[in-house]
């Protein structure tokens, strides 16, 4: 029997194709993506693999039920490649990018949930500040939130970028990234509940893996990587009682063995070929 794989972030199916080349004939792959447009495009692109591939539009936090309903209740390999695909970032109509002008949307699934416009136009100033500070790791979050509220209603990505540009004094603009990068990241993570998705997705993946099966995660920023690192650390320990406690009362048992002690970073060649990979971190763990 071939391997059973689940790609939780199908995107443009670059990874799925690589996996399919290695597990077929005999193996099967379930591909999940919350973006209906990505799913439709990939259905056509992967048609050559026939019944070896099942593609489902949905969120990976629902991996347990999606897997069970589609004959993938147990898997040997589960992959997460967090964040956005180039197609999503580069399409101004999706509202993710501060370059160009588009509606202030930012939903990976444009059929569900609230848009970034609703959040910036209707939320309390303190709530906007929190999202930009916590999820964007932006130290100018308070001023940005105040400028956003003063300029309401914001309708386009340009309106948001201009509010950020006006809020941060020119002398403090970062040199290595666009001045709006962090604020856009913060709102995008909030719109899509990306951190909640990761926490639930990792737990679901652990339940779905067969003993000896592996999960691999690719993170693009420290908030994502921190969640994976801490999940792997906790799940690889036999006891998670506070260190000052003399006797174990938690009864916790390790369920994972960490395969990559340190995250794997892309080589210089890979970054030269694909600059967007520069901040990627790969972590792998095996189910015990
Ligand atoms: C970085 S891209 C993946 C690229 C893919 N590995 C490839 O080779 O083309 C991330 C994809 O994950 C999807 N995604 C992000 N969060 C998700 C979630 N919670 N559930 C399902 N899909 C999600 C996005 O819509 C996007 O298409």
């Amino acid at each position: 029997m071939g391997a059973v794989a689940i790609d939780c972030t199908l995107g443009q199916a670059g990874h799925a194709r690589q996996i399919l080349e290695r597990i077929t004939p005999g193996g099967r792959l379930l591909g999940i993506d919350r973006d209906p447009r990505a799913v439709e495009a990939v259905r056509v692109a992967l048609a050559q693999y026939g019944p070896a591939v099942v593609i489902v539009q949905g969120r990976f936090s629902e991996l347990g039920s999606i897997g069970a309903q589609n004959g993938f209740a147990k898997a040997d390999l589960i992959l997460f490649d967090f964040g956005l695909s180039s197609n999503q970032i580069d399409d101004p109509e999706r509202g993710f990018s501060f370059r160009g002008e588009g509606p202030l949307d930012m939903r990976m699934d444009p059929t569900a949930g609230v848009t970034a416009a609703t959040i910036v136009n209707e939320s309390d100033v303190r709530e906007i500040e929190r999202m930009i500070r916590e999820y964007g790791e932006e130290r100018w979050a308070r001023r940005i939130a105040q400028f956003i509220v003063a300029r309401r209603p914001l309708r386009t990505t340009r309106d948001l970028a201009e509010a950020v540009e006006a809020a941060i004094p020119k002398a403090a603009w970062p040199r290595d990234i666009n001045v709006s990068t962090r604020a856009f990241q913060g709102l995008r993570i909030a719109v899509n509940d990306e951190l909640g998705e990761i926490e639930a997705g990792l737990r679901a993946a652990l339940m779905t893996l067969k003993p000896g099966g592996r999960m691999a995660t690719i993170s693009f920023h420290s908030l994502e990587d921190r969640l994976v690192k801490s999940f792997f650390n906790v799940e690889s320990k036999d006891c998670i009682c506070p260190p000052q406690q003399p006797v174990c009362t938690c009864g916790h048992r390790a369920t994972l063995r960490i395969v990559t002690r340190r995250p794997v970073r892309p080589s210089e060649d890979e970054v030269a070929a694909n600059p967007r990979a520069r901040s990627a971190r790969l972590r792998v763990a095996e189910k015990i």
Side-chain angles (χ1 to χ4, degrees):
M1 272 292 277
V4 176
I6 304 179
D7 182 347
C8 291
T9 48
L10 196 53
Q12 289 146 260
H15 288 127
R17 235 177 235 289
Q18 293 293 327
I19 296 169
L20 280 161
E21 287 304 315
R22 287 161 177 79
I23 66 171
T24 53
R28 299 183 297 134
L29 178 128
L30 167 65
I32 302 172
D33 202 295
R34 71 194 292 184
D35 184 342
R37 289 183 214 180
V39 164
E40 281 325 304
V42 166
R43 256 188 231 292
V44 178
L46 296 183
Q48 67 185 96
Y49 294 97
V53 180
V54 177
I55 297 172
V56 174
Q57 190 269 329
R59 287 176 291 121
F60 55 61
S61 56
E62 306 292 330
L63 171 60
S65 55
I66 294 175
Q69 282 160 18
N70 290 280
F72 287 78
K74 288 287 162 203
D76 301 290
L77 166 69
I78 301 179
L79 173 67
F80 295 91
D81 180 10
F82 300 124
L84 297 173
S85 71
S86 300
N87 278 0
Q88 292 166 327
I89 300 170
D90 294 339
D91 180 356
E93 287 305 308
R94 305 298 300 267
F96 290 112
S97 178
F98 35 77
R99 294 197 180 84
E101 178 151 34
L104 203 45
D105 190 323
M106 297 195 188
R107 289 172 300 170
M108 291 187 203
D109 175 359
T111 67
V114 295
T115 64
T118 302
I119 289 187
V120 295
N121 290 324
E122 294 180 14
S123 304
D124 180 43
V125 67
R126 274 184 301 259
E127 183 55 11
I128 299 174
E129 175 188 345
R130 185 190 69 79
M131 292 172 189
I132 296 177
R133 188 182 307 285
E134 248 175 59
Y135 305 146
E137 300 185 299
E138 169 61 73
R139 64 193 187 91
W140 293 94
R142 174 161 303 167
R143 259 175 76 88
I144 294 171
Q146 287 164 345
F147 274 63
I148 287 174
V149 169
R151 287 165 176 242
R152 284 173 176 177
L154 273 58
R155 300 192 198 284
T156 68
T157 49
R158 191 89 286 277
D159 293 343
L160 177 59
E162 281 171 7
V164 177
E165 287 164 13
I168 306 182
K170 266 247 159 76
W173 285 24
R175 294 210 186 91
D176 50 339
I177 53 171
N178 186 286
V179 62
S180 297
T181 301
R182 293 195 179 101
F184 271 67
Q185 174 185 304
L187 289 170
R188 185 203 97 199
I189 289 178
V191 165
N192 296 288
D193 183 25
E194 291 180 39
L195 304 183
E197 279 292 311
I198 292 177
E199 286 187 326
L202 292 172
R203 278 196 302 277
L206 180 59
M207 305 292 288
T208 306
L209 274 181
K210 296 177 190 168
R214 290 185 170 188
M215 69 168 104
T217 64
I218 302 172
S219 308
F220 284 87
H221 54 76
S222 53
L223 295 172
E224 293 169 344
D225 192 50
R226 225 175 285 155
L227 285 180
V228 177
K229 186 178 170 189
S230 124
F231 180 79
F232 282 10
N233 279 345
V234 167
E235 288 307 327
S236 61
K237 284 195 182 110
D238 268 338
C239 165
I240 51 170
C241 291
Q244 64 273 21
Q245 195 170 300
V247 180
C248 171
T249 52
C250 70
H252 189 266
R253 284 290 162 265
T255 50
L256 285 178
R257 181 180 72 79
I258 299 176
V259 177
T260 48
R261 267 289 145 207
R262 287 171 186 282
V264 179
R265 316 260 313 258
S267 66
E268 275 176 28
D269 287 352
E270 194 172 351
V271 175
N274 176 15
R276 280 180 177 160
R278 69 182 179 279
S279 47
R281 305 269 181 285
L282 169 73
R283 293 184 187 270
V284 181
E286 186 173 285
K287 173 99 171 252
I288 294 172

